[in-house]
Amino acid sequence: MNKEEITEALLLEDFSLMYEEADHIRLVNKGDDVFIRAIIEFSNVCARKCFYCGINAANNKVNRYRMSYREITETAEAGIKAGYRTVVLQSGEVRDEDPEWLGQIIKKIKKHDGVAVTLSVGEQDHDVLKYYRDCGADRYLLKHETADPELYGKLHPDGTLEERIRCLRDIKALGYETGSGFMTGLPGQTTESIADDILLLKELECDMAGIGPFIPHPDTPLAGTSHGDPEITRRAVALARIILPEANLPVTTALGVLDPNERRKAFSCGANVIMKKITPDIYKKDYCIYPAVFGRTEIEKDRIELEKLIEETDRRPI
Ligand code: SAH
């Protein structure tokens, strides 16, 4: 599909045939498995001032934390014990930190057979990315956020789309399974630019892509703007499935998949992955990239509940 066709599809009055197509492509290429990934938000310390993000460096209302080596590895081990095979380590972006600290954590988690480590720690220099890869990190998530260079520039006072893409290409070249993605409904975003977002995923040969609605945070420059449309978000996921048949596409947390009425819809638009927070309760509330209410974390019980939800949609939790 080209840009015009994707734009037209996003605006269709009736998208149901596209959803069917996306769901079929998902079944043929990925089967009925739904991969559940555990995510540990190990630090909200951040040097960047991204306009949409609640933990951006300019927000001085945030209670900053960084979990210790022990807290992170013990949380990861509790997740592995509960059945998770992938641990996602996510944080704000800091570049001057000692990479060996995170390197040791990656190595420790990788001692568990068959467990994959995914990093989501922002833009890093090639040497640092290579070092983490050498420590055993398997995958890297770095969303391009928006493929519109002008909008990107407005929302990111300390970065350019070009730098973001360069970093994504480094990640890919280092042999990481590479994940990009974007937000829908950003103030100033057009439908055409969402088509560009989907085409950029293809151009970058993404192995994974996270697509979620923008949700305004009250303590950011975008306070008071409106949130992204869940329907457009699901359409973008479906089109990403059609264009990248083999990619792993998560149902993003921001899509509110766990609202019982949305569940079936969320998994029938082409998605095959879901992430579950296992961040300890004392920290979880401070990793507030957008306003949301999260219940208490009970790693084993949460996993069992999520497996049940997935089985109820006739899919197989992994
Ligand atoms: N520092 C890391 C992790 C960022 S948080 C990095 O730069 O990659 C992970 C993702 O949350 C971001 O990539 C962004 O797409 C999303 N996000 C941040 N603020 C958001 C908001 N207000 N609404 C919806 N998604 C948001």
Side-chain angles (χ1 to χ4, degrees), residues 21 32 107 169 203 226 234 264 271 273 288:
E21 173 79 1
D32 274 327
K107 285 185 191 165
R169 292 199 198 281
E203 194 192 318
S226 33
R234 279 190 294 269
R264 189 168 282 274
V273 175
C288 184

Side-chain angles (χ1 to χ4, degrees), residues 15 18 28 50 54 62 72 83 87 99 110 147 154 187 194 196 201 211 256 267 269 276 284 298 312:
F15 197 81
M18 286 284 180
V28 171
C50 310
V62 178
I72 299 169
V87 176
K110 285 299 290 181
K154 279 187 194 154
I194 299 180
D196 283 333
L201 300 177
I211 301 168
F267 277 115
C269 65
K276 185 74 191 168
K284 199 158 67 169
E298 288 181 69
E312 280 168 22

Side-chain angles (χ1 to χ4, degrees), residues 52-53 90-93 120-122 141-143 145 164 183 213-215 287 289-290:
Y52 44 83
C53 186
Q90 190 175 83
S91 69
E93 182 176 310
S120 175
V121 298
L141 303 178
L142 184 78
K143 298 194 195 182
E145 314 295 3
R164 194 87 173 165
M183 282 172 278
F214 157 68
I215 302 171
Y287 197 85
I289 53 181
Y290 50 80

Side-chain angles (χ1 to χ4, degrees), residues 20 89 168 170 172 184 210 231 260 309:
E20 273 174 37
L89 299 174
L168 276 159
D170 282 350
K172 184 82 189 171
T184 59
E231 173 62 20
L309 289 183

Side-chain angles (χ1 to χ4, degrees), residues 268-307:
S268 59
C269 65
N272 70 319
V273 175
I274 184 161
M275 293 200 200
K276 185 74 191 168
K277 288 171 195 277
I278 62 166
T279 312
D281 287 318
I282 41 163
Y283 301 119
K284 199 158 67 169
K285 61 181 187 329
D286 293 322
Y287 197 85
C288 184
I289 53 181
Y290 50 80
V293 193
F294 298 110
R296 275 180 56 84
T297 299
E298 288 181 69
I299 297 179
E300 287 199 26
K301 190 166 152 269
D302 291 351
R303 163 117 195 164
I304 292 166
E305 269 175 23
L306 190 50
E307 286 179 359

Side-chain angles (χ1 to χ4, degrees), residues 17 33 36 117 156 187 189 198 202 207 214 236 283 285 305:
L17 286 176
D33 297 347
I36 316 178
V117 171
H156 301 93
Q189 186 185 45
I198 298 169
K202 173 90 180 170
D207 305 290
F214 157 68
Y283 301 119
K285 61 181 187 329
E305 269 175 23

